[in-house]
Amino acid sequence: MTDTPQLLLAHHLKALKLPTFLREYDKLARQCAAEGLDHIRFLLRLAELELIERERRMVERRIKEARFPSVKSLDSFDFAAIASLNKTLVLELARSEYVTRRENIIAVGNSGTGKTHIGLGLGLAACQKGLSVGFYTAAALVHELLEARDEKRLLRLQRQLAGYKLLIIDELGYVPLSQTGAELLFEVFSQRYERGSTVVTSNLPFDEWTSVFGSERLTGALLDRLTHHVHILQMNGDSYRLNQSKRRSRRSSSDTPADHPTQD
């Protein structure tokens, strides 16, 4: 009979979906008793633990749902390597207030300068703020749209894309789009106009986007919507990845003994 209250408490806490309460209450009760804390402070600490754990799980779920190819934070980005990038603006954007204002971000620059890393970092920051995020490369998104159209589930996918608080479209410009693909992607941007924030990364300056969409009219209408409320990140410079590879190569060469030369 002495176990009945504990069993009932465990049952009620599971029913209320309070796993941290269930896991921590006994240990925390002993700690609070040893410190002479009253029941209010005991409950306060317990509630704080539950909230912290719930927030952690929520962030993990948002990150999983975003489908990032890898999880990267802005803390690991080498701002010194890209002199053209406005670090102050990026760190301000990491607060994710632009998402609340439904503003867009376009990161433009040559290949290898870390545009994807910036997109992933901003996406992670938004997840940590409890915002829903979706991440796609432009080519993968167009492929998914075309597939959904063929399978008669396009409307459902469009609703999903429109529902993200933040949609990140990476590598726009790397692959030319078919006319149908360009029109479907344009529709995604149109449906999000002033309803949600979109981050776009591209290796092409704006005046070359017509080569991707194949139509000056479509490109003009897209840029009109996308740049209405926009923050532009200029990321031109030497390839960050190439410089890293060169540094690794130099370190590898210096580690090779002189009497054992490497082959060309």
Side-chain angles (χ1 to χ4, degrees):
M1 293 293 291
T2 55
D3 290 337
T4 301
Q6 283 185 308
L7 290 172
L8 283 171
L9 179 59
H11 175 271
H12 294 334
L13 290 174
K14 286 177 182 176
L16 290 167
K17 297 181 180 178
L18 295 170
T20 309
F21 265 52
L22 178 58
R23 189 176 63 249
E24 301 290 342
Y25 80 87
D26 189 54
K27 180 177 72 176
L28 191 60
R30 295 174 194 276
Q31 288 177 356
C32 288
E35 295 174 28
L37 300 178
D38 60 23
H39 66 285
I40 296 294
R41 286 180 174 78
F42 161 67
L43 286 172
L44 176 61
R45 284 193 182 182
L46 202 53
E48 286 172 344
L49 286 174
E50 186 70 51
L51 284 171
I52 290 168
E53 180 63 17
R54 188 168 292 187
E55 185 175 339
R56 185 190 66 79
R57 291 197 305 271
M58 177 271 294
V59 171
E60 283 185 351
R61 186 175 69 253
R62 295 290 189 200
I63 291 171
K64 184 178 179 181
E65 290 171 350
R67 300 197 299 180
F68 297 130
S70 60
V71 178
K72 292 187 177 182
S73 74
L74 294 172
D75 292 338
S76 61
F77 187 82
D78 185 3
F79 285 93
I82 308 296
S84 63
L85 180 60
N86 186 336
K87 179 180 178 179
T88 302
L89 175 58
V90 173
L91 296 181
E92 171 64 26
L93 292 171
R95 297 169 61 185
S96 301
E97 292 173 2
Y98 71 96
V99 180
T100 308
R101 297 190 298 265
R102 300 179 180 88
E103 296 167 351
N104 301 318
I105 298 172
I106 304 176
V108 182
N110 49 297
S111 297
T113 53
K115 297 183 297 296
T116 298
H117 190 151
I118 290 294
L120 289 168
L122 292 171
L124 177 61
C127 286
Q128 291 168 338
K129 297 289 186 181
L131 301 167
S132 60
V133 179
F135 183 99
Y136 295 84
T137 65
L141 178 55
V142 168
H143 177 77
E144 200 162 323
L145 288 164
L146 289 168
E147 199 173 70
R149 183 203 58 172
D150 293 343
E151 296 173 1
K152 296 185 172 29
R153 53 180 180 85
L154 180 58
L155 212 56
R156 187 164 74 247
L157 177 57
Q158 287 176 328
R159 279 198 296 264
Q160 177 190 331
L161 294 169
Y164 288 120
K165 295 294 184 184
L166 175 64
L167 179 64
I168 302 168
I169 300 178
D170 193 32
E171 298 182 345
L172 181 69
Y174 286 78
V175 180
L177 306 176
S178 66
Q179 181 182 341
T180 306
E183 289 170 355
L184 287 171
L185 185 56
F186 172 79
E187 190 64 25
V188 170
F189 286 112
S190 292
Q191 289 172 350
R192 293 187 58 78
Y193 178 58
E194 295 193 325
R195 296 188 185 96
S197 291
T198 306
V199 171
V200 178
T201 75
S202 178
N203 63 322
L204 297 178
F206 295 138
D207 58 4
E208 294 182 27
W209 281 28
T210 306
S211 65
V212 180
F213 289 93
S215 161
E216 288 188 10
R217 178 189 59 79
L218 199 65
T219 305
L222 168 65
L223 286 171
D224 183 57
R225 287 162 173 75
L226 199 56
T227 60
H228 186 200
H229 309 287
V230 71
H231 302 275
I232 296 175
L233 302 177
Q234 295 288 351
M235 296 185 64
N236 282 306
D238 294 335
S239 170
Y240 181 63
R241 287 194 298 267
L242 181 59
N243 287 338
Q244 281 188 319
S245 297
K246 287 179 179 176
R247 282 196 292 270
R248 282 195 298 268
S249 179
R250 283 197 295 270
R251 283 198 300 269
S252 177
S253 298
S254 65
D255 291 341
T256 305
D259 56 341
H260 294 290
T262 56
Q263 301 231 342
D264 290 334

